[in-house]
Amino acid sequence: MTTYILLWVLIWSILAFALMGIDKWRAASHGWRIPEKTLFLTAAIGGSVGSIMGMYTFRHKTKH
């Protein structure tokens, strides 16, 4: 059971990290952005570690 939980958190963290990077890239290139509710939802579902790492790695939404 613990293995499934860790796998769940790992997958969602990787996805959340990637979404932060993609959204930051799109913001810099003035492209279509990923909705903020999608970013928060991936964090709430289990990707909070990846979201936090993505925020600081890509300097995404950390100045406000």
Side-chain angles (χ1 to χ4, degrees):
M1 185 66 161
T2 306
T3 306
Y4 292 120
I5 294 171
L6 290 175
L7 186 60
W8 176 269
V9 170
L10 178 67
I11 290 170
W12 280 105
S13 290
I14 291 170
L15 179 64
F17 183 84
L19 286 176
M20 287 289 177
I22 291 167
D23 192 52
K24 181 65 176 190
W25 175 74
R26 287 181 177 175
S29 62
H30 304 289
W32 174 81
R33 302 285 303 273
I34 296 171
E36 200 165 304
K37 70 178 181 179
T38 303
L39 298 174
F40 286 130
L41 183 62
T42 57
I45 289 175
S48 58
V49 174
S51 291
I52 292 169
M53 289 174 59
M55 285 173 62
Y56 287 104
T57 300
F58 303 113
R59 296 183 187 173
H60 186 276
K61 299 185 182 290
T62 56
K63 293 185 178 182
H64 301 286

